Amino acid sequence: MSYIPNILRAVDYMERNLCNPVSVSDIASEAAYSTFHFVRLFKALTGDTPGSYLRRRRLTEASRELAGSRTRIIEIAFKYQFQSQEAF
């Protein structure tokens, strides 16, 4: 049984929802796994937890937006689901 298609579906879901609030259980449901099983599989296949992956992708996209626009930092932080400028 190949887990890769389900994990790729989860990654695609995360990419589509970088600016939306999502939980690890939402992502696991998209991959058709329990949260516990999904976290273990994702870590085994990618070397990273789903939460860390999502946070890093949000930071990457936010940094691109910061570099390429004149939008205020706090607005970009909120857009990418960070609760404050300090958390960002």
Side-chain angles (χ1 to χ4, degrees), residues 3-84:
Y3 300 109
I4 294 173
N6 291 21
I7 297 300
L8 289 175
R9 190 167 55 245
V11 169
D12 184 52
Y13 179 79
M14 286 188 269
E15 292 294 325
R16 288 191 322 265
N17 288 286
L18 291 176
C19 296
N20 300 318
V22 296
S23 68
V24 174
S25 61
D26 294 336
I27 302 165
S29 292
E30 184 69 21
Y33 293 120
S34 71
T35 302
F36 177 77
H37 190 64
F38 173 70
V39 170
R40 289 183 54 219
L41 272 176
F42 193 89
K43 174 89 172 155
L45 293 173
T46 67
D48 209 353
T49 65
S52 294
Y53 175 84
L54 185 59
R55 191 170 25 264
R56 187 177 14 251
R57 286 294 299 127
R58 285 175 170 165
L59 282 169
T60 299
E61 292 305 312
S63 66
R64 286 185 187 160
E65 194 166 326
L66 274 171
S69 74
R70 298 184 54 81
T71 307
R72 294 177 25 197
I73 292 172
I74 191 69
E75 292 173 12
I76 293 172
F78 287 153
K79 176 181 177 182
Y80 287 96
Q81 303 304 303
F82 292 93
Q83 302 304 312
S84 68

